[in-house]
Each structure stands twice: as C-alpha cells, then as structure tokens.
C-alpha cells in the first residue's frame, strides 16, 4: 500500500486530482451512493431544473460495468499518461497555463454537448482533447501501438478514436475531443506563431494567483517545442514501461 501511496503522491498536482476524481465519482455511482442519473450531463435538467453540477460530475463519471469496464480502464490510463506528460513537459512549472488549457477544452466540450437532447458523458472527450494536444506538440515522435504498428504521434488521436470505437466507445465523443484539442492547439500555437496571427488565448491572472508558476519550469511558454528528430525505439525496447506515446505497446507488462 505504501508503494501505491508513493506512486499517487508522485503524480503531478492537477493530473492527480483529475485522476482521483475519475476513480471516486464512478465508484460513488457504482455503489449507488448517488444515482448515476444525477451524474450525467442532461441538458434539460441543466437548463430547466438548474442542476448546475452536471457538467462537472459528467466530466468525472463513467458507468463502469461488464460491457464498459475495459473502455473505462483504457481511457483512465490515457488520462494518467498524457495528462502527466503535458503537465511535466510543455507545461512544466506552469500549472496555471495547464489548468487554463483544461478549462478551455472543458468549456468547449460542455457547449458542444448542451445542444444534445440525450444524456452524455464528458470524460472521454476531455481526455482525448489532452491527448490530441500532446500528440501535436510531439507530432514527429514515432509511437507504437498494438501488433507492432508504428506511426508518428500526430496520428495517434485518430488511431485511438478507431480503437475506442472497436472496444465499445462512441465516435462522436472521441471526435469532439479531437476537434476541441485541435481548436486549442490552433489558437494557442499554430495561428499566432506559424501563421503570424494575433493571440486569442491567454491564461487569466486569477489562475496565476491560485496556481503560481514554479521555478524550473519550461521557459518561454507558448512556443511550441522545436521539431528535433526523435530517434526511433529499437524493436523490442521499452519492455516494462507503460508509455504508449513513447513506444509502449498496449498489453506489455
């Protein structure tokens, strides 16, 4: 248990609470402490019954059962891996900037689903938006997937979209996540830097007050990493490292 506690404490701050909430809220629904119907995003209840907590609870809740358990665990793994990589990579030492990215993506996803007339969940779209941003910031990295398939990281979100669909996901959830991630990446990096346009996104000052920058972070935030060629992993390398975006194959121990 001490090993699990140490591992949990070593998860970056924001990812740690997001990860913990994505375990606690489904568990609450599974145990029946709160009816799952109060945890999903239902636009009619949100607008007409003023159940304003639903966009938040729907971000953490996922109906775990025999038919959805594997999909849930896979996406929980994506959450841990790619949120950790962003928080300790491009956003290292700048928790306010990372929180702003999550909030921007979350708001866009909520707005996208509030026009629906049925129950929706926001966990997978938000995870996919984070994964998309990581993939674009590391687009030239060679990653491996099942059966030794190798491709550039920029294609990873679309491969996972198909993978999630095969194991029981919804193309709509993954697609919206990818599109929202693309919107953030385009407005924050592509348009102002590569195309010379104005910057539309900036982290609000109150987030810096809540989550001040730490020393040792990446300087010059907002500048995408240089396109350094990344050496491809050797076949059979990386065994034992749960790290899909850097050569991990799903199913390795």
């Amino acid at each position: 248990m001490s090993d699990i506690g140490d591992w949990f404490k070593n998860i970056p701050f924001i990812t740690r609470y997001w990860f913990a909430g994505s375990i606690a809220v489904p568990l609450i629904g599974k145990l029946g402490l709160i009816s799952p119907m109060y945890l999903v995003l239902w636009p009619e209840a949100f607008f007409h019954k003023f159940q304003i907590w639903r966009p938040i609870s729907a971000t953490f809740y996922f109906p775990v059962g025999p038919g959805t358990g594997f999909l849930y665990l896979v996406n929980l793994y994506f959450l841990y891996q790619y949120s950790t990589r962003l928080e300790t990579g491009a956003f290292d030492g700048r928790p306010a900037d990372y929180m702003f990215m999550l909030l921007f993506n979350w708001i866009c996803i909520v707005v996208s689903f509030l026009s629906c007339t049925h129950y929706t969940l926001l966990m997978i779209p938000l995870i996919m938006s984070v994964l998309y941003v990581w993939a674009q910031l590391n687009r030239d990295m060679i990653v491996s997937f099942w059966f030794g398939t190798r491709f550039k990281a920029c294609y990873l979100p679309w491969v996972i979209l198909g993978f999630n669909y095969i194991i029981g996901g919804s193309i709509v959830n993954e697609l919206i996540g990818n599109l929202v991630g693309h919107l953030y990446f385009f407005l924050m990096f592509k348009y102002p830097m590569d195309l010379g346009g104005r910057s539309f996104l900036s982290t609000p000052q109150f987030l810096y007050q809540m989550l001040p920058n730490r020393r040792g972070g990446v300087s010059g935030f907002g500048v995408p990493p240089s396109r350094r060629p990344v050496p491809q992993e050797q076949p059979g390398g990386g065994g034992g490292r749960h790290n899909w975006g850097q050569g991990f194959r799903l199913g390795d121990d």
Side-chain angles (χ1 to χ4, degrees), residues 108-177:
C108 291
I109 291 169
V110 170
V111 171
S112 299
F113 281 104
L114 281 177
S115 60
C116 299
T117 58
H118 52 78
Y119 305 111
T120 53
L121 301 170
L122 307 182
M123 179 181 178
I124 289 179
L126 186 58
I127 293 172
M128 290 299 298
S129 72
V130 169
L131 189 153
Y132 186 94
V133 173
W134 177 88
Q136 292 302 312
L137 291 173
N138 299 274
R139 59 181 299 111
D140 293 326
M141 179 182 292
I142 301 299
V143 299
S144 297
F145 207 62
W146 273 14
F147 310 114
T149 306
R150 299 166 65 84
F151 46 82
K152 290 186 177 182
C154 59
Y155 301 116
L156 183 62
W158 306 105
V159 172
I160 292 178
L161 182 151
F163 175 77
N164 274 357
Y165 179 71
I166 291 173
I167 64 176
S170 167
I171 287 183
V172 173
N173 287 336
E174 285 80 356
L175 182 60
I176 288 180

Side-chain angles (χ1 to χ4, degrees), residues 13 87 91-95 212-217:
F13 176 76
E87 192 172 352
F91 295 88
D92 184 28
R94 299 177 181 270
N213 291 345
R214 301 188 303 270
R215 291 184 178 181

Side-chain angles (χ1 to χ4, degrees), residues 186-223:
F186 181 82
L187 294 178
M188 179 61 75
F189 297 109
K190 189 73 176 177
Y191 184 68
M193 296 171 192
D194 292 350
L195 302 179
R198 58 169 294 189
S199 178
F200 290 98
L201 299 181
S202 61
T203 304
Q205 191 61 36
F206 76 90
L207 285 179
Y208 287 119
Q209 295 173 356
M210 294 173 57
L211 300 168
N213 291 345
R214 301 188 303 270
R215 291 184 178 181
V218 178
S219 61
F221 175 78
V223 180

Side-chain angles (χ1 to χ4, degrees), residues 1-13 15-20 23 73 76-81 84 242:
M1 292 299 293
S2 61
D3 291 339
I4 296 177
D6 292 340
W7 167 79
F8 182 75
K9 291 178 182 178
N10 288 328
I11 299 176
F13 176 76
T15 302
R16 184 193 315 157
Y17 284 97
W18 184 12
F19 184 81
I23 294 177
L73 291 176
L76 192 66
Y77 176 80
F78 290 150
L79 186 164
Y80 166 72
Q81 279 291 331
T84 296
H242 297 284

